[in-house]
Amino acid sequence: MDSKQFREAAISSIDDIVKYYDTIEDRRVVSNVEPGYLRKILPEEAPQTGEAWADIQKDLEAKIVPGLTHWQSPNFLAWFPSSSSFPAMLGEMYSTAFTGAAFNWICSPAVTELETIVMDWLAKAFALPPCYLSTGPTNGGGVIHGTASEAIATVLVAARDKYLREATAHLTGGNEEEEEAREDAWAERRGRLVALGSAATHSATKKAAQIAGVRFRAVPVHAADGYRMTGAELRRVILELRARGLEPFYLTATLGTTDTCAVDDMEGIASVLAELSPPGGPDGEVWVHVDAAYAGAALICPEYQHLAEAFDKFHSYNTNLHKWLLVNFDCSAVWVRDRRHLTEALSVSLAILRNPHTDSGLVTDYRDWQIPFGRRFRSLKVWFVLRAYGVDGLRAHVRKHIKHAEVFAGLLKTRPDLFEIVTGPRFALTVFKLAGDGKEGSTVEEQNALTKTMYDAVVEDGRIFLSSTVVGGVFAIRHNPATPFVEEHHVRKHFEILVEVAEKVLFKA
Amino acid sequence: MDSKQFREAAISSIDDIVKYYDTIEDRRVVSNVEPGYLRKILPEEAPQTGEAWADIQKDLEAKIVPGLTHWQSPNFLAWFPSSSSFPAMLGEMYSTAFTGAAFNWICSPAVTELETIVMDWLAKAFALPPCYLSTGPTNGGGVIHGTASEAIATVLVAARDKYLREATAHLTGGNEEEEEAREDAWAERRGRLVALGSAATHSATKKAAQIAGVRFRAVPVHAADGYRMTGAELRRVILELRARGLEPFYLTATLGTTDTCAVDDMEGIASVLAELSPPGGPDGEVWVHVDAAYAGAALICPEYQHLAEAFDKFHSYNTNLHKWLLVNFDCSAVWVRDRRHLTEALSVSLAILRNPHTDSGLVTDYRDWQIPFGRRFRSLKVWFVLRAYGVDGLRAHVRKHIKHAEVFAGLLKTRPDLFEIVTGPRFALTVFKLAGDGKEGSTVEEQNALTKTMYDAVVEDGRIFLSSTVVGGVFAIRHNPATPFVEEHHVRKHFEILVEVAEKVLFKA
């Protein structure tokens, strides 16, 4: 394929993509292929000789598209959204064309520099404390990772090594024997370390602890607190662990939990840790990372920015721009208050990478801020989105969804015979269940079974796609209308479908 | 931006990209902006209101492009290539349009299924042993990661947990107390674990060990062995470590080291490990991962496939398709002989993710094969490339570069007064130095200084871009003409430039 053929193929692909977006609402939102469908219709081996683009493109429509779940459909309400926008798509087009591994500054200075700049722009737009700015007072700064799970694994490793470094500061290393003594001390101490997160935080923290080779313990959450982690529960868990000789060194505080969009008590957490693990104290400092993967997008609006007030006492923060801020997957924005903790944990150097710029200390080598070595030019799509929408446009986008969820919750309340809200709406997420089974004194198990029957019927029906969860023992359904093209009339239609199916389940039984 | 405006903007971007590729040879290959150039010309904050696409696109050309290093230029010879092709770009366009987090099968069945299929196609095309096929005898299979460093970190974590699980098989867990006893045993044992790689392997293994919280030791390599790791040196290091109470559990064997494209002695490694750490033996099995990030692409050609013969004794393997196989960054193909080792180390489950398909065991949830939770639809670009080029097309691509490097090495040999080959050509990489400084009995340091002076002059000159390295104490220059558009006349031109600069450095002094 030469550049002329590429131009033709690309324009035909653009036409295809425009058509896909223009008609996305008419497609069944969730794919209904059977597991293994694709192997049956593709060859056993790669073709020996090249094929024409037209044939490949035809197969894409015929064989791949039926196996897609349409995340940009206004009827996609499951998990959290993974948003898409035309400016971000253009960003990806250019980024792909300019492709390179971009592991250090000279690999393409613009890749590093634009990333630092848009991360500062975003920190300001979210009203994060100045310690997260690259130009701030604490050597902070931002970096773009792929996903929140990478962000959490990365900062957890940095937190682990910061804790161990501080705990063994008296072992200075130097010669080989001293280095080994330090290595032994780290190994012994590492075995006692515990990473914490609330019972409602995303599994990413537990997985990060598995990766880093440390223990994980969940801080319980309670319905009475709206499923948010409180300072009191954190205090209890830390003291219990210490009493058993273990050392909590890291905490994920969540702004918008996956199940219910609960926000942990940030002030309470900060105050407990100021008491139990002050910097330089005898027990070591607990690193606090705030995971705001989805709900952090709301900080673009001044009415939510008070949520960030306590963050100047914490160590790192992440928001996935690909969830709710119109940047196509993947794009997790991560900030740290002191970048040296990342580079001290993750830097390794090879002669082949050395160049005058790296040695000058003037440039950022982002490979030392992350797990992967090479990097994509992700800041380009962020820059395009920030410029094409402006801060005002992004605020309008978030507020639109918040309003949709309020409309939806209002509708649920008009049918107390059918539905009961479990939590929300919070950040455009409403969690609800069937109101009962019409019989007095039905058990939670019976009610759960009924809501599950209804949920399965909705998925089977295929007009809308939601996810389910279990909150405080209650099986519940999540409605999260935060995809870019969803409008109020869609939300009203979602409600009608839910009523239709609920009535069938409740009154047919 | 609505879909009509997007169509216009996208076509104008395609035209821009076509022009970029058609004229890439005329651009200075390595950017010569000063550190901090971009902050000076961009605003301090994101715009408050949205801007027109035409303005954004204008700034792209004026402000970003000067800060790019052009990895697709035929004059880019540094590090390893990061290849690009038009079919892969089309794959990224569609993947971006179909965007979603794709963390499990139902998120988009085609994303999971196409990945399994193209990874099997590739395993066959590379003639990997059948244990790496998803349909093979050992529950193997392939997955696409972003980079080799992620691949190595992931398999190292799986190897660590497999080793610990086997070492503590008598602790069955069950109740909370027994679980904690197992956790304690793991913590204690983990502190003794050592990951190995040759002194010439990529820093990714050391970094992976840092991430996983285990020790790292390098197995020395020697000029006499062509800088490849031998079974004898591996044997010596393992026995030394064991004598000191440490437990080697993992080894990166390298097929194509970064500095010189050396290939470790795979048969020798297999034979030493069969002796020292047989599966089920008293000392635990050492997991062997083969990192073939760059050179593995050559296995597409039958004349290189004998290199994979020993791999049926190993545990995992990776090749970056984005380096030398025309798939745009990022795309690291990773295979394991038993996928359960990945999922046992990395799986965590959330109620919100449960669906009938996940529970059925019929589908693959690739999130448990990797560190990130969400995933891009990377297999699409791989499918497009395999179909558009065919296996024959990819073979021709690799052979073209191998031949270019032979031509280049031949040219170096015509000027023994100027150049001396240090290693190669191996897999299209030639490592060379200046032949001397014209004075009898000059020291290695003097010669290194001279080659470095010449190297700096070549970079400064800007017509070609190479990287330098230090091999066995010798400062050397790497020439790796493996970008897609490089042709023999370019290689001859590279040589002319090198002669010109070398003569200046050698005879002007």
Side-chain angles (χ1 to χ4, degrees):
Chain A
M1 189 182 285
D2 63 21
S3 66
K4 197 165 156 285
Q5 292 166 317
F6 167 66
R7 185 176 186 280
E8 240 172 73
I11 291 174
S12 132
S13 302
I14 293 292
D15 284 339
D16 215 17
I17 288 167
V18 165
K19 195 176 136 211
Y20 174 75
Y21 273 80
D22 285 347
T23 61
I24 200 161
E25 197 173 331
D26 308 330
R27 295 171 187 262
R28 183 190 158 92
V29 54
V30 60
S31 173
N32 59 353
V33 298
E34 290 296 315
Y37 88 100
L38 193 56
R39 195 175 280 270
K40 289 183 198 140
I41 53 178
L42 289 189
E44 288 283 302
E45 294 187 16
Q48 198 63 32
T49 54
E51 299 176 58
W53 168 247
D55 294 333
I56 302 171
Q57 198 177 26
K58 218 184 314 167
D59 271 359
L60 178 72
E61 184 59 36
K63 298 175 179 170
I64 303 300
V65 173
L68 295 178
T69 291
H70 306 292
W71 286 63
Q72 306 314 316
S73 164
N75 299 317
F76 183 96
L77 307 156
W79 305 301
F80 287 129
S82 189
S83 59
S84 176
S85 74
F86 295 126
M89 284 194 225
L90 296 170
E92 282 286 15
M93 273 170 56
Y94 276 107
S95 162
T96 304
F98 298 150
T99 192
F103 46 79
N104 68 16
W105 182 85
I106 195 63
C107 280
S108 261
V111 175
T112 297
E113 299 205 7
L114 187 62
E115 187 157 333
T116 308
I117 291 166
V118 298
M119 290 299 288
D120 280 345
W121 282 12
L122 282 164
K124 290 176 190 170
F126 289 146
L128 297 186
C131 62
Y132 296 107
L133 292 173
S134 73
T135 52
T138 54
N139 295 303
V143 59
I144 303 177
H145 286 183
T147 60
S149 29
E150 284 167 82
I152 291 170
T154 306
V155 298
L156 191 145
V157 165
R160 182 197 66 191
D161 287 4
K162 169 181 177 289
Y163 186 92
L164 291 171
R165 207 162 37 243
E166 289 171 1
T168 60
H170 56 291
L171 300 169
T172 48
N175 62 34
E176 201 183 327
E177 204 173 300
E178 285 166 348
E179 282 297 340
E180 281 185 18
R182 181 158 65 176
E183 214 176 37
D184 288 343
W186 276 45
E188 197 259 324
R189 198 85 181 229
R190 198 189 287 118
R192 302 208 291 267
L193 299 190
V194 185
L196 301 172
S198 90
T201 201
H202 191 274
S203 59
T205 299
K206 186 179 178 191
K207 183 166 174 173
Q210 286 175 202
I211 291 163
V214 296
R215 300 169 201 242
F216 172 78
R217 290 294 183 277
V219 178
V221 293
H222 308 286
D225 304 317
Y227 301 103
R228 69 188 202 153
M229 177 166 54
T230 62
E233 278 295 81
L234 174 63
R235 193 174 192 284
R236 190 179 62 71
V237 169
I238 289 178
L239 293 177
E240 263 180 34
L241 290 169
R242 285 191 184 159
R244 289 159 54 198
L246 297 174
E247 304 183 31
F249 75 101
Y250 168 91
L251 170 72
T252 297
T254 313
L255 194 163
T257 60
T258 312
D259 289 324
T260 69
C261 267
V263 177
D264 289 343
D265 174 12
M266 303 294 171
E267 293 291 348
I269 290 166
S271 130
V272 163
L273 293 179
E275 176 204 342
L276 295 186
S277 77
D283 292 306
E285 189 184 8
V286 172
W287 177 302
V288 182
H289 174 75
V290 178
D291 176 19
Y294 165 69
L299 269 58
I300 199 84
C301 304
E303 62 270 30
Y304 287 98
Q305 292 178 348
H306 64 94
L307 292 171
E309 274 165 17
F311 297 174
D312 63 343
K313 299 173 196 91
F314 299 157
H315 301 76
S316 51
Y317 178 79
N318 80 279
T319 291
N320 290 353
L321 305 181
H322 63 243
K323 280 200 159 71
W324 197 10
L325 275 185
L326 294 165
V327 178
N328 291 51
F329 189 88
D330 50 359
C331 190
S332 185
V334 194
W335 287 270
V336 289
R337 69 176 296 125
D338 188 343
R339 55 189 179 253
R340 290 173 305 190
H341 297 314
L342 290 178
T343 56
E344 280 172 7
L346 296 167
S347 175
V348 279
S349 53
L350 282 182
I352 189 180
L353 302 176
R354 219 165 279 154
N355 63 69
H357 302 290
T358 298
D359 291 340
S360 75
L362 282 174
V363 301
T364 300
D365 282 342
Y366 273 128
R367 71 171 184 279
D368 297 334
W369 297 44
Q370 62 175 28
I371 293 170
F373 185 78
R375 332 186 63 238
R376 293 170 65 235
F377 192 1
R378 292 193 187 103
S379 58
L380 201 56
K381 58 185 173 183
V382 178
W383 190 50
F384 283 6
V385 166
L386 286 170
R387 292 193 61 177
Y389 287 86
V391 171
D392 286 345
L394 295 176
R395 285 177 182 164
H397 171 78
V398 165
R399 285 172 182 150
K400 177 180 93 162
H401 296 130
I402 300 267
K403 189 164 160 288
H404 290 343
E406 279 162 8
V407 167
F408 179 77
L411 289 168
L412 284 182
K413 285 176 193 161
T414 64
R415 292 298 304 267
D417 58 322
L418 292 179
F419 303 115
E420 186 184 320
I421 291 177
V422 177
T423 62
R426 292 170 176 167
F427 303 101
L429 171 66
T430 308
V431 182
F432 66 100
K433 61 188 273 293
L434 283 189
D437 60 358
K439 287 177 280 183
E440 285 288 317
S442 60
T443 64
V444 172
E445 287 70 29
E446 285 164 341
Q447 289 191 21
N448 282 353
L450 207 68
T451 306
K452 184 164 188 330
T453 302
M454 181 212 157
Y455 172 72
D456 289 345
V458 172
V459 172
E460 176 73 25
D461 175 274
R463 281 174 292 170
I464 55 177
F465 186 45
L466 310 91
S467 46
S468 66
T469 190
V470 177
V471 188
V474 171
F475 185 95
I477 301 174
R478 296 167 73 265
H479 179 268
N480 184 209
T483 55
F485 304 110
V486 69
E487 299 300 340
E488 191 177 312
H489 70 92
H490 295 116
V491 171
R492 293 186 179 276
K493 183 76 192 166
H494 303 159
F495 178 71
E496 277 172 32
I497 294 167
L498 290 167
V499 167
E500 182 192 316
V501 179
E503 285 183 334
K504 244 188 242 167
V505 168
L506 276 179
F507 305 134
K508 208 183 188 178
Chain B
M1 190 182 284
D2 62 22
S3 65
K4 198 166 155 284
Q5 291 167 316
F6 167 67
R7 185 176 185 281
E8 240 172 73
I11 292 174
S12 131
S13 303
I14 293 293
D15 284 339
D16 216 16
I17 288 167
V18 165
K19 196 177 134 211
Y20 174 75
Y21 274 80
D22 285 347
T23 60
I24 200 161
E25 197 174 331
D26 308 330
R27 295 172 188 261
R28 185 190 156 92
V29 54
V30 60
S31 174
N32 59 352
V33 298
E34 288 296 314
Y37 89 100
L38 193 57
R39 195 176 280 269
K40 289 183 198 142
I41 53 177
L42 288 188
E44 287 283 301
E45 294 187 15
Q48 197 64 32
T49 54
E51 299 175 57
W53 168 248
D55 294 333
I56 302 171
Q57 198 176 26
K58 218 184 315 168
D59 271 358
L60 178 72
E61 182 60 35
K63 297 175 180 171
I64 302 301
V65 173
L68 296 179
T69 290
H70 306 293
W71 286 63
Q72 306 316 315
S73 164
N75 299 316
F76 183 96
L77 308 156
W79 305 301
F80 286 130
S82 188
S83 60
S84 176
S85 73
F86 295 126
M89 284 194 225
L90 297 169
E92 282 286 15
M93 274 172 55
Y94 276 107
S95 163
T96 305
F98 298 150
T99 191
F103 46 80
N104 68 17
W105 183 84
I106 195 64
C107 281
S108 262
V111 174
T112 297
E113 299 204 5
L114 187 61
E115 187 157 333
T116 308
I117 291 166
V118 297
M119 290 301 288
D120 280 344
W121 283 10
L122 282 164
K124 290 175 191 170
F126 289 146
L128 297 185
C131 61
Y132 296 106
L133 291 174
S134 73
T135 53
T138 54
N139 295 303
V143 59
I144 302 177
H145 286 184
T147 59
S149 29
E150 284 168 81
I152 291 170
T154 305
V155 298
L156 191 146
V157 165
R160 183 198 65 192
D161 286 6
K162 169 181 178 288
Y163 185 92
L164 291 171
R165 209 165 31 247
E166 289 171 0
T168 61
H170 57 290
L171 299 169
T172 49
N175 63 32
E176 201 183 327
E177 203 172 303
E178 285 165 347
E179 283 297 340
E180 282 186 19
R182 181 158 64 176
E183 213 175 37
D184 288 342
W186 277 44
E188 197 260 324
R189 199 85 182 228
R190 198 188 287 118
R192 302 208 290 266
L193 299 190
V194 185
L196 301 173
S198 89
T201 201
H202 191 272
S203 59
T205 298
K206 186 178 178 191
K207 183 167 175 173
Q210 286 176 203
I211 291 164
V214 295
R215 301 169 200 241
F216 171 78
R217 290 293 183 278
V219 178
V221 292
H222 307 286
D225 304 316
Y227 302 103
R228 68 188 203 152
M229 177 166 56
T230 62
E233 278 294 81
L234 175 64
R235 192 173 192 285
R236 190 179 61 73
V237 169
I238 289 178
L239 293 177
E240 263 180 33
L241 289 169
R242 285 191 184 159
R244 290 159 55 198
L246 297 174
E247 305 183 31
F249 74 102
Y250 169 91
L251 170 72
T252 297
T254 312
L255 195 161
T257 59
T258 312
D259 288 323
T260 70
C261 267
V263 177
D264 289 342
D265 174 12
M266 303 295 172
E267 294 292 347
I269 290 166
S271 131
V272 163
L273 293 178
E275 175 204 344
L276 295 186
S277 77
D283 292 305
E285 190 184 8
V286 173
W287 176 303
V288 182
H289 174 74
V290 178
D291 176 18
Y294 165 70
L299 269 59
I300 199 84
C301 303
E303 61 270 29
Y304 288 98
Q305 292 178 348
H306 64 95
L307 291 172
E309 275 166 17
F311 296 174
D312 64 341
K313 299 172 196 91
F314 299 156
H315 301 76
S316 50
Y317 178 79
N318 79 278
T319 291
N320 291 353
L321 305 181
H322 63 244
K323 279 198 161 73
W324 197 10
L325 275 185
L326 295 165
V327 179
N328 291 51
F329 188 88
D330 50 358
C331 191
S332 183
V334 193
W335 288 269
V336 290
R337 68 176 298 125
D338 188 343
R339 55 189 180 254
R340 290 174 304 191
H341 297 314
L342 289 179
T343 57
E344 280 172 7
L346 295 168
S347 175
V348 281
S349 54
L350 281 182
I352 190 180
L353 302 177
R354 217 165 280 154
N355 63 68
H357 302 290
T358 299
D359 291 341
S360 74
L362 283 175
V363 301
T364 300
D365 283 343
Y366 274 127
R367 71 170 184 281
D368 297 334
W369 297 44
Q370 63 175 30
I371 293 169
F373 185 78
R375 334 187 61 242
R376 294 169 64 233
F377 193 0
R378 292 193 186 102
S379 57
L380 202 55
K381 58 185 171 182
V382 179
W383 190 49
F384 284 6
V385 166
L386 286 171
R387 291 192 61 179
Y389 287 87
V391 171
D392 286 344
L394 296 175
R395 285 177 182 165
H397 171 78
V398 165
R399 286 172 182 152
K400 176 180 91 162
H401 295 131
I402 301 266
K403 189 164 159 289
H404 290 343
E406 279 162 8
V407 167
F408 179 76
L411 289 169
L412 283 183
K413 285 177 192 160
T414 64
R415 293 297 304 265
D417 57 322
L418 292 178
F419 303 115
E420 185 184 321
I421 290 178
V422 177
T423 62
R426 291 171 177 168
F427 302 103
L429 171 67
T430 308
V431 182
F432 66 99
K433 62 188 271 297
L434 283 188
D437 60 359
K439 287 177 281 184
E440 283 288 317
S442 60
T443 66
V444 172
E445 287 70 29
E446 284 164 341
Q447 290 191 20
N448 283 352
L450 206 68
T451 305
K452 185 166 186 328
T453 301
M454 180 212 156
Y455 172 72
D456 290 344
V458 172
V459 172
E460 176 72 25
D461 174 274
R463 281 176 291 169
I464 56 177
F465 186 44
L466 310 92
S467 46
S468 66
T469 190
V470 177
V471 188
V474 171
F475 185 94
I477 301 175
R478 295 167 73 266
H479 179 268
N480 185 209
T483 55
F485 304 110
V486 70
E487 299 300 341
E488 190 177 312
H489 70 90
H490 295 115
V491 171
R492 294 187 179 276
K493 183 75 192 165
H494 304 159
F495 178 71
E496 278 173 31
I497 294 167
L498 290 167
V499 167
E500 180 193 318
V501 179
E503 285 183 335
K504 242 188 245 168
V505 167
L506 277 180
F507 305 132
K508 208 183 187 178

